[in-house]
Structures are given as structure tokens and as C-alpha cells.
Amino acid sequence: MKDLVGVLYKEVPSGVGSHGRLKLNSDDQRRVIVKGARWAVEQDFGSPEDLEKTESGGCMGDVDTSVVSDKAYERGRAQQGTLGSGNHFMEIQYVSEVYDEQAANAFGLYKDQVTVMIHTGSRGFGHQVCTDFLSSMNLASRKYEIPLADKELACAPFNTQEAQDYFSAMKGAANYAWANRQCVMHWCMESLSKVFGSSPQGLGLGLVYDVAHNIAKVEMHNVGCASKRLVVHRKGATRALPAGHPELASAYKHIGQPVLIPGDMGRASFVLVGTQGAMQQTFGSTCHGAGRVLSRHQAIKKAKGRAIWREMEDIGITVMSAGRGTLAEEMSEAYKDVTDVVDVVHEAGISKKVAMLKPIGVIKG
Amino acid sequence: MLRYEEIDIAGDIGLKVHGSSVEELFANAALGLYSFITDTDDVNGSTTITVDLTEETTERLLIAWLNELIYLFDVDGFVGKTVDIKGLDGTHLRAELRGEPFDLQRHNPGILIKAATYHRLSIERQPQGYCATVICDV
């Protein structure tokens, strides 16, 4: 495990000061923003089948690249194909429990199987888009006389130029994130091939699903007796579409969308499946993770004098981290028990438990 | 006077900054930001950069200032060691920073700060000077 974690740590850049392996010029970058994961597959990072198993095929259409600032492009350029820091991670896990055989089977999951979970996003590119547009949205909120509870929650009516420009840039950031995860997954598969001396196909490696955790989508939902076109903004929430939903790719149409719920590095993560209950109660959404119980600051205080990596080693989990303090901030005690969180959404019927994944190797930024 | 301190915020990083003047407040905010990224004791001042910004209010200027420094770190790797506020009149800021590009061989990696936010943002006038609270996304 140490060798494997070491190779993954080396092959996938993570943490402060890390640089991506890709050298993109501005035309390449525009292609990433327009094509998303499709761009990565065209560069031979992964296969076309991966797109079938990615939310929205790994690309939101109609991105106007001119609404994205030069700063966002510059910030994103060096970070394409990097993990990041904070709660971003890559974990080697195994399926410790299967709750729904039929769904697990459809997702290609079975007990004691080894899995890898990657949690990263649009990196500095997405954040620069947010920074840029917060400024113009603050002005728009004033223009459209929308009182703000928090200046960070600036907004404009969806059918205005300001909102449409933002939506275009956000779609570009989502596409950047899908491309990023596709590249990281590809290098992860290469690393596994290297360590185990077999091809990804030989090892049986394949994507289960790639799902966004912070995104706005235009979707059809029932409101009262009418079907309405809505903007559903999932922030700290995950899409959870039921079987038969028109937006699901054929691979999962009969069973429902896989939902990936990361927990903490010492306990577990979960795979759930979307349900009709989510369409009825939560606009096709469920939870997004365990959620913190300690602030980063409190966690660091609590970890003082302890070797978190050794505590993890003692329970059979190999950990590598780039940042000083990251392991303390990310230790299990800093998070709610994801099992409790997942039980709530399962009982509420807004998604159903399929499998529990336990970590054995962890890379933190 | 304590120049800056980290405050408890679930999920993100909170920075409380002090300064005897608004100029010092802005300089200390920058140093507080850099302290999250690395140990600034290990940073030398071989590179000089200047930052020039205009915003509608001092609060917005503080956020724009920190976001500009985050941008310069992400793009050029620039980490500041000293900050000299050359001019600040409430809506316009001109500053000179001495520092160097981040180098993993010599600099301890801390945490990547993605953005300074307007959430719970405040700048208060106090008997001894000024105090600002800024929440950063990580």
C-alpha cells in the first residue's frame, strides 16, 4: 500500500505549490472550457465510455468563452490536472458492505473489491470566476433591487444578461472540473497499472460515476400540478436522479444515478443511488458529504502533539499529505460520522444506500 | 498588538486582523493571508511587485486586495514577506510587496486559499486602531 500511495502521490500533483503536468496554451484552455471531460478523452486521458458514466456527459453546452476573465484563464492554466488541497483527496478504498445487490451489480461494485475515490474540482479557475462575478453580481443585485442576506450570496434574475454571463462562466468552470477529474483519474489508473504490472483493462479498472457537488442546472421539476423549468443550485448537495430519468445515460437508466458521498479519511465513504423520493422532496438532490463538526482551527488544536498519520497507520490506513496541518484538519474527529448522515438521507428516501467504501490508502493535498 | 489571528469558522478559515491605521490593517491582512500558505520566516524578499487597485468602498478594497494576492500566488507563486502600503485613500490602494516565488524545496506548504469572501466581512474602528474580520474559502 505504501508503494502504491507513494506512486499516486508522485503522479498526481497535489497541495500548495504543485504544478500540473499539462501545459495548456490559451486555445487549449478554451477547448477545455467548452468541451469538458470530452477534451480530456480526446487527449487520450481515459476512454469515451467514461463520458457515459459522467454527469451530463462531462460537459455543459453553450459556453461563451469570452465571458471568462483573463485572470481566470491564467489561474486555471497551471492547475489543470491537479488535486488541490484542503478537503480534496484521492483514496484507495475497498467495498466493505453492500446494501443493494442489484444496484451494486449495475454499478460494477461487489464486496471486498478495491475502489478509488477522487474528490477535486475546478481549482483556482472556478474560484476566479466566482470572485470576478461576485463583483458584477453585487451591482446587479442593486440594479434589480434584490435585498441580500449576505453579500457573498449576490444574485440576478436568471433571464438577465448578468445572470446568463455568469451561468456561461459557471458551465465553463464545471467543464474544467470534469476535465480535471478525468485527467486525475487517468493518471491514477496509469499508476495502478505501473504498480501492479498490468493494463487498466487487465486490472478491471473502469469509472463508476463522476458527479458534481457544487453546480447549478436547468431542470424540469413538478411544482404543484405543473411541470416547470427550474434552476436547481446544488451547493453542498449532490444530484440523485431516479431510474428512468431522461437525463440519465443508458448505462444507469434502469437503476438510477450513482451518488458518491465522501466521508472522512479514517472511517468510510458511500455509494448511494438516486430515487423518485428525491424528485418529490428535494428537486432530485441528496447530501454531499459528512460535513465538519470541528473547525480547521479546532481540529489543529485537538491534534497537537499527536501523529495523525501514525494513528491512521495503526488502523490500517496509509496516508500521505502535502500540506503542513492538512492531516490534523482532515482527521476523522473533525467530521460527523458519514454513516449517520447517509442513514438520514436513506430513511428520508431521497437516495438509497448501495455500498460502503472503507479507506486503506489516502492522499491529501 | 497582535497583527493577525486565525478565528474559528466551520469549514473555512477566518482571519482577524489588527492595525493602528487602515494602511497597517491592509498590510497585516496580507501577511495573515501568507501565513496560511507557508511559514513567511523562510521567505526572502528578492522579488518586488506592485499592486494598484480601485474599488467602491474600503471593505470591497480589502477583499479585492486579498483576492489579488491569491491570484498572484496561483499564477506566479508569489509569496510576500514585507508589505509597504504606498497609498490608501479608502477606495484606491497602491502597495509594494517584497517576497519571492514559492519553492517547495525551501518553503513549507500550508493550505491553498481559494478566495477572500464578503461573508461576515467587517472593518471596525476601535480605540487602539482598526480591526477587520475576513472569511476565506479553502
Side-chain angles (χ1 to χ4, degrees):
Chain A
M1 185 50 62
K2 269 196 178 132
D3 290 348
L4 178 57
V5 169
V7 171
L8 285 168
Y9 183 79
K10 194 166 146 266
E11 296 297 323
V12 178
S14 64
V16 168
S18 61
H19 294 285
R21 294 164 51 172
L22 300 169
K23 297 280 167 275
L24 305 182
N25 62 33
S26 45
D27 286 343
D28 292 331
Q29 261 204 308
R30 282 184 176 79
R31 282 192 276 271
V32 172
I33 304 313
V34 169
K35 292 183 169 182
R38 202 147 45 87
W39 171 86
V41 169
E42 283 171 10
Q43 312 302 307
D44 287 332
F45 299 126
S47 68
E49 293 85 68
D50 298 337
L51 303 178
E52 280 273 300
K53 294 181 172 176
T54 302
E55 178 182 344
S56 298
C59 176
M60 287 177 84
D62 298 324
V63 173
D64 175 0
T65 57
S66 71
V67 301
V68 174
S69 72
D70 289 344
K71 276 189 166 175
Y73 284 118
E74 285 168 29
R75 220 173 138 182
R77 193 162 300 152
Q79 293 184 344
Q80 186 75 59
T82 62
L83 196 62
S85 80
N87 69 359
H88 290 173
F89 68 80
M90 184 155 55
E91 269 184 20
I92 302 153
Q93 314 160 322
Y94 71 97
V95 179
S96 63
E97 203 82 55
V98 170
Y99 305 95
D100 181 336
E101 285 286 350
Q102 199 194 352
N105 201 29
F107 298 165
L109 296 171
Y110 52 87
K111 192 152 190 311
D112 294 329
Q113 179 190 24
V114 173
T115 58
V116 178
M117 187 176 276
I118 295 162
H119 182 224
T120 184
S122 59
R123 313 284 291 100
F125 179 88
H127 263 273
Q128 193 63 42
V129 165
C130 177
T131 296
D132 296 338
F133 277 91
L134 257 177
S135 234
S136 56
M137 279 291 185
N138 259 309
L139 299 176
S141 304
R142 253 185 272 165
K143 178 172 155 192
Y144 300 109
E145 296 177 359
I146 303 169
L148 298 180
D150 184 328
K151 273 195 186 144
E152 197 66 16
L153 301 175
C155 52
F158 192 64
N159 292 326
T160 60
Q161 192 60 49
E162 291 94 331
Q164 288 301 306
D165 284 352
Y166 171 69
F167 190 53
S168 203
M170 183 221 73
K171 287 189 288 187
N175 290 346
Y176 181 107
W178 276 311
N180 192 32
R181 287 192 292 273
Q182 184 71 29
C183 293
V184 168
M185 175 179 75
H186 174 72
W187 293 324
C188 172
M189 286 185 177
E190 271 189 354
S191 303
L192 287 159
S193 291
K194 203 188 279 181
V195 172
F196 293 106
S198 179
S199 67
Q201 294 76 13
L203 292 172
L205 297 175
L207 177 61
V208 174
Y209 204 62
D210 179 319
V211 66
H213 278 190
N214 288 321
I215 200 165
K217 286 273 180 74
V218 176
E219 297 174 355
M220 298 304 292
H221 287 275
N222 289 330
V223 182
C225 299
S227 178
K228 290 203 168 177
R229 194 168 159 260
L230 303 177
V231 182
V232 181
H233 185 186
R234 298 186 179 91
K235 164 75 183 166
T238 315
R239 212 183 203 199
L241 301 180
H245 193 282
E247 283 198 48
L248 273 183
S250 57
Y252 296 134
K253 203 159 224 161
H254 65 295
I255 198 83
Q257 179 214 304
V259 179
L260 311 176
I261 305 297
D264 64 74
M265 66 181 179
R267 283 178 288 199
S269 293
F270 281 85
V271 179
L272 315 179
V273 64
T275 58
Q276 202 56 48
M279 293 307 286
Q280 289 155 357
Q281 300 178 71
T282 51
F283 299 101
S285 317
T286 189
C287 65
H288 122 130
R292 292 189 81 92
V293 66
L294 294 181
S295 71
R296 287 166 207 277
H297 194 52
Q298 286 168 329
I300 287 174
K301 260 197 211 158
K302 205 162 179 186
K304 209 161 190 170
R306 290 164 56 183
I308 301 298
W309 68 269
R310 196 188 299 276
E311 290 180 21
M312 298 281 289
E313 196 102 327
D314 288 346
I315 55 168
I317 304 168
T318 304
V319 183
M320 274 188 92
S321 167
R324 109 201 130 184
T326 304
L327 288 186
E329 291 167 17
E330 291 297 310
M331 65 181 181
S332 288
E333 295 148 83
Y335 285 91
K336 289 175 209 156
D337 188 339
V338 70
T339 305
D340 296 339
V341 175
V342 160
D343 280 345
V344 169
V345 297
H346 179 87
E347 289 303 322
I350 58 172
S351 46
K352 291 282 171 198
K353 289 200 282 188
V354 175
M356 181 198 261
L357 313 173
K358 287 204 162 170
I360 43 179
V362 178
I363 289 154
K364 289 277 187 187
Chain B
M1 193 193 328
L2 200 61
R3 293 188 296 179
Y4 52 81
E5 58 196 302
E6 188 181 343
I7 52 172
D8 267 353
I9 298 291
D12 294 313
I13 272 187
L15 186 61
K16 193 166 204 166
V17 193
H18 307 274
S20 58
S21 62
V22 182
E23 285 80 0
E24 200 178 293
L25 187 77
F26 271 64
N28 288 343
L31 296 174
L33 175 78
Y34 288 129
S35 75
F36 293 137
I37 297 173
T38 190
D39 297 326
T40 44
D41 289 346
D42 301 332
V43 175
N44 69 46
S46 56
T47 307
T48 304
I49 62 162
T50 56
V51 173
D52 213 309
L53 292 167
T54 303
E55 277 290 341
E56 276 183 353
T57 64
T58 308
E59 278 84 2
R60 288 179 68 109
L61 195 58
L62 180 61
I63 296 304
W65 162 237
L66 295 176
N67 279 328
E68 184 69 13
L69 301 182
I70 291 165
Y71 159 77
L72 290 168
F73 173 74
D74 261 7
V75 172
D76 302 324
F78 181 85
V79 189
K81 169 120 185 137
T82 60
V83 184
D84 184 6
I85 305 293
K86 296 280 186 193
L88 178 59
D89 67 5
T91 57
H92 180 225
L93 166 75
R94 201 160 51 81
E96 193 176 278
L97 294 95
R98 297 182 74 81
E100 64 170 328
F102 183 85
D103 177 357
L104 269 174
Q105 305 297 320
R106 293 185 294 115
H107 302 134
N108 201 355
I111 192 158
L112 278 174
I113 306 290
K114 293 173 182 166
T117 74
Y118 292 104
H119 180 59
R120 288 180 50 184
L121 168 67
S122 73
I123 299 180
E124 286 169 37
R125 179 95 212 242
Q126 292 183 333
Q128 316 87 322
Y130 293 84
C131 175
T133 303
V134 183
I135 310 298
C136 294
D137 269 345
V138 294

Short mmCIF file of all heavy atoms in Angstrom, two decimals, chain A residues 90-114:
data_model
loop_
_atom_site.label_atom_id
_atom_site.label_comp_id
_atom_site.label_asym_id
_atom_site.label_seq_id
_atom_site.Cartn_x
_atom_site.Cartn_y
_atom_site.Cartn_z
N MET A 90 -7.59 11.88 -2.73
CA MET A 90 -7.70 10.67 -3.54
C MET A 90 -7.56 9.52 -2.55
O MET A 90 -6.64 9.53 -1.74
CB MET A 90 -6.57 10.66 -4.58
CG MET A 90 -6.65 9.51 -5.52
SD MET A 90 -5.80 9.93 -7.07
CE MET A 90 -4.20 10.38 -6.49
N GLU A 91 -8.48 8.59 -2.58
CA GLU A 91 -8.45 7.49 -1.62
C GLU A 91 -8.52 6.15 -2.31
O GLU A 91 -9.30 5.96 -3.25
CB GLU A 91 -9.68 7.57 -0.69
CG GLU A 91 -9.44 8.37 0.56
CD GLU A 91 -10.64 8.36 1.51
OE1 GLU A 91 -11.52 7.46 1.41
OE2 GLU A 91 -10.71 9.25 2.35
N ILE A 92 -7.71 5.21 -1.81
CA ILE A 92 -7.87 3.81 -2.21
C ILE A 92 -8.74 3.19 -1.12
O ILE A 92 -8.47 3.37 0.07
CB ILE A 92 -6.51 3.09 -2.29
CG1 ILE A 92 -5.63 3.83 -3.28
CG2 ILE A 92 -6.69 1.64 -2.72
CD1 ILE A 92 -4.18 3.67 -3.01
N GLN A 93 -9.79 2.51 -1.56
CA GLN A 93 -10.77 2.01 -0.60
C GLN A 93 -11.12 0.57 -0.98
O GLN A 93 -10.71 0.07 -2.02
CB GLN A 93 -12.06 2.86 -0.68
CG GLN A 93 -11.82 4.36 -0.70
CD GLN A 93 -13.01 5.14 -1.25
OE1 GLN A 93 -13.68 4.70 -2.18
NE2 GLN A 93 -13.26 6.31 -0.68
N TYR A 94 -11.92 -0.09 -0.13
CA TYR A 94 -12.50 -1.37 -0.53
C TYR A 94 -13.97 -1.37 -0.16
O TYR A 94 -14.39 -0.66 0.77
CB TYR A 94 -11.75 -2.55 0.09
CG TYR A 94 -11.96 -2.71 1.57
CD1 TYR A 94 -12.91 -3.60 2.07
CD2 TYR A 94 -11.22 -1.95 2.47
CE1 TYR A 94 -13.12 -3.73 3.44
CE2 TYR A 94 -11.42 -2.08 3.84
CZ TYR A 94 -12.37 -2.97 4.32
OH TYR A 94 -12.58 -3.08 5.66
N VAL A 95 -14.73 -2.16 -0.88
CA VAL A 95 -16.17 -2.25 -0.61
C VAL A 95 -16.35 -3.11 0.63
O VAL A 95 -16.11 -4.31 0.59
CB VAL A 95 -16.93 -2.85 -1.82
CG1 VAL A 95 -18.43 -2.95 -1.52
CG2 VAL A 95 -16.69 -2.02 -3.08
N SER A 96 -16.73 -2.50 1.74
CA SER A 96 -16.82 -3.25 3.00
C SER A 96 -18.23 -3.79 3.23
O SER A 96 -18.43 -4.70 4.01
CB SER A 96 -16.42 -2.36 4.16
OG SER A 96 -17.32 -1.28 4.28
N GLU A 97 -19.19 -3.23 2.54
CA GLU A 97 -20.58 -3.62 2.78
C GLU A 97 -21.38 -3.34 1.52
O GLU A 97 -21.20 -2.28 0.90
CB GLU A 97 -21.13 -2.75 3.91
CG GLU A 97 -22.30 -3.29 4.68
CD GLU A 97 -21.87 -4.26 5.76
OE1 GLU A 97 -21.03 -3.89 6.61
OE2 GLU A 97 -22.37 -5.39 5.72
N VAL A 98 -22.23 -4.27 1.13
CA VAL A 98 -23.16 -4.00 0.02
C VAL A 98 -24.58 -4.04 0.58
O VAL A 98 -24.96 -5.00 1.24
CB VAL A 98 -22.98 -5.03 -1.12
CG1 VAL A 98 -24.10 -4.90 -2.14
CG2 VAL A 98 -21.63 -4.87 -1.79
N TYR A 99 -25.34 -2.99 0.36
CA TYR A 99 -26.70 -2.91 0.90
C TYR A 99 -27.74 -3.24 -0.17
O TYR A 99 -28.84 -3.65 0.15
CB TYR A 99 -27.00 -1.50 1.43
CG TYR A 99 -25.99 -1.02 2.45
CD1 TYR A 99 -24.91 -0.22 2.06
CD2 TYR A 99 -26.10 -1.37 3.79
CE1 TYR A 99 -23.98 0.21 2.98
CE2 TYR A 99 -25.17 -0.94 4.72
CZ TYR A 99 -24.12 -0.15 4.31
OH TYR A 99 -23.19 0.27 5.22
N ASP A 100 -27.39 -2.98 -1.42
CA ASP A 100 -28.35 -3.16 -2.51
C ASP A 100 -27.60 -3.89 -3.64
O ASP A 100 -26.87 -3.28 -4.42
CB ASP A 100 -28.85 -1.78 -2.97
CG ASP A 100 -29.86 -1.84 -4.10
OD1 ASP A 100 -29.87 -2.85 -4.84
OD2 ASP A 100 -30.64 -0.89 -4.26
N GLU A 101 -27.80 -5.22 -3.66
CA GLU A 101 -27.05 -6.07 -4.61
C GLU A 101 -27.31 -5.68 -6.06
O GLU A 101 -26.39 -5.62 -6.86
CB GLU A 101 -27.46 -7.55 -4.43
CG GLU A 101 -26.89 -8.21 -3.20
CD GLU A 101 -25.40 -8.55 -3.32
OE1 GLU A 101 -24.83 -8.44 -4.42
OE2 GLU A 101 -24.80 -8.90 -2.28
N GLN A 102 -28.59 -5.39 -6.35
CA GLN A 102 -28.95 -5.11 -7.74
C GLN A 102 -28.27 -3.83 -8.23
O GLN A 102 -27.69 -3.81 -9.32
CB GLN A 102 -30.48 -4.97 -7.82
CG GLN A 102 -31.01 -5.13 -9.21
CD GLN A 102 -32.46 -4.64 -9.33
OE1 GLN A 102 -33.11 -4.32 -8.32
NE2 GLN A 102 -32.94 -4.59 -10.55
N ALA A 103 -28.32 -2.77 -7.39
CA ALA A 103 -27.69 -1.51 -7.80
C ALA A 103 -26.18 -1.66 -7.82
O ALA A 103 -25.50 -1.18 -8.75
CB ALA A 103 -28.11 -0.39 -6.84
N ALA A 104 -25.63 -2.35 -6.82
CA ALA A 104 -24.18 -2.54 -6.77
C ALA A 104 -23.72 -3.26 -8.04
O ALA A 104 -22.72 -2.89 -8.66
CB ALA A 104 -23.79 -3.33 -5.52
N ASN A 105 -24.46 -4.25 -8.41
CA ASN A 105 -24.16 -5.03 -9.60
C ASN A 105 -24.18 -4.14 -10.84
O ASN A 105 -23.27 -4.19 -11.68
CB ASN A 105 -25.20 -6.14 -9.70
CG ASN A 105 -24.71 -7.26 -10.57
OD1 ASN A 105 -23.49 -7.49 -10.64
ND2 ASN A 105 -25.63 -7.94 -11.22
N ALA A 106 -25.19 -3.29 -10.93
CA ALA A 106 -25.29 -2.38 -12.08
C ALA A 106 -24.13 -1.39 -12.10
O ALA A 106 -23.65 -1.00 -13.18
CB ALA A 106 -26.61 -1.63 -12.01
N PHE A 107 -23.66 -1.00 -10.93
CA PHE A 107 -22.54 -0.04 -10.86
C PHE A 107 -21.18 -0.74 -11.00
O PHE A 107 -20.14 -0.08 -11.01
CB PHE A 107 -22.55 0.72 -9.52
CG PHE A 107 -23.78 1.57 -9.28
CD1 PHE A 107 -24.07 2.06 -8.01
CD2 PHE A 107 -24.65 1.89 -10.31
CE1 PHE A 107 -25.20 2.84 -7.77
CE2 PHE A 107 -25.79 2.67 -10.09
CZ PHE A 107 -26.06 3.14 -8.81
N GLY A 108 -21.22 -2.08 -11.04
CA GLY A 108 -19.96 -2.84 -11.14
C GLY A 108 -19.25 -2.96 -9.81
O GLY A 108 -18.02 -3.11 -9.77
N LEU A 109 -19.98 -2.88 -8.71
CA LEU A 109 -19.37 -2.96 -7.37
C LEU A 109 -19.72 -4.28 -6.69
O LEU A 109 -20.83 -4.77 -6.84
CB LEU A 109 -19.89 -1.80 -6.49
CG LEU A 109 -19.53 -0.38 -6.94
CD1 LEU A 109 -20.28 0.64 -6.10
CD2 LEU A 109 -18.03 -0.15 -6.84
N TYR A 110 -18.76 -4.85 -5.98
CA TYR A 110 -19.02 -6.08 -5.20
C TYR A 110 -18.16 -6.08 -3.95
O TYR A 110 -17.18 -5.34 -3.86
CB TYR A 110 -18.76 -7.32 -6.06
CG TYR A 110 -17.40 -7.34 -6.72
CD1 TYR A 110 -16.27 -7.84 -6.05
CD2 TYR A 110 -17.22 -6.85 -8.01
CE1 TYR A 110 -15.02 -7.85 -6.66
CE2 TYR A 110 -15.97 -6.84 -8.62
CZ TYR A 110 -14.89 -7.35 -7.94
OH TYR A 110 -13.65 -7.34 -8.53
N LYS A 111 -18.55 -6.90 -2.99
CA LYS A 111 -17.89 -6.90 -1.68
C LYS A 111 -16.40 -7.22 -1.81
O LYS A 111 -16.00 -8.06 -2.59
CB LYS A 111 -18.57 -7.93 -0.76
CG LYS A 111 -18.12 -7.78 0.68
CD LYS A 111 -19.19 -8.24 1.66
CE LYS A 111 -18.88 -7.88 3.08
NZ LYS A 111 -17.61 -8.15 3.63
N ASP A 112 -15.61 -6.49 -1.05
CA ASP A 112 -14.14 -6.63 -0.97
C ASP A 112 -13.40 -6.15 -2.23
O ASP A 112 -12.20 -6.32 -2.33
CB ASP A 112 -13.73 -8.08 -0.64
CG ASP A 112 -14.18 -8.47 0.75
OD1 ASP A 112 -14.25 -7.58 1.63
OD2 ASP A 112 -14.49 -9.66 0.96
N GLN A 113 -14.13 -5.58 -3.16
CA GLN A 113 -13.50 -5.02 -4.35
C GLN A 113 -12.73 -3.74 -3.96
O GLN A 113 -13.13 -3.03 -3.04
CB GLN A 113 -14.61 -4.65 -5.33
CG GLN A 113 -14.15 -4.03 -6.63
CD GLN A 113 -15.35 -3.48 -7.40
OE1 GLN A 113 -16.38 -3.17 -6.80
NE2 GLN A 113 -15.21 -3.41 -8.70
N VAL A 114 -11.63 -3.49 -4.66
CA VAL A 114 -10.86 -2.26 -4.40
C VAL A 114 -11.42 -1.13 -5.28
O VAL A 114 -11.70 -1.34 -6.46
CB VAL A 114 -9.36 -2.48 -4.68
CG1 VAL A 114 -8.59 -1.17 -4.58
CG2 VAL A 114 -8.79 -3.50 -3.69
#
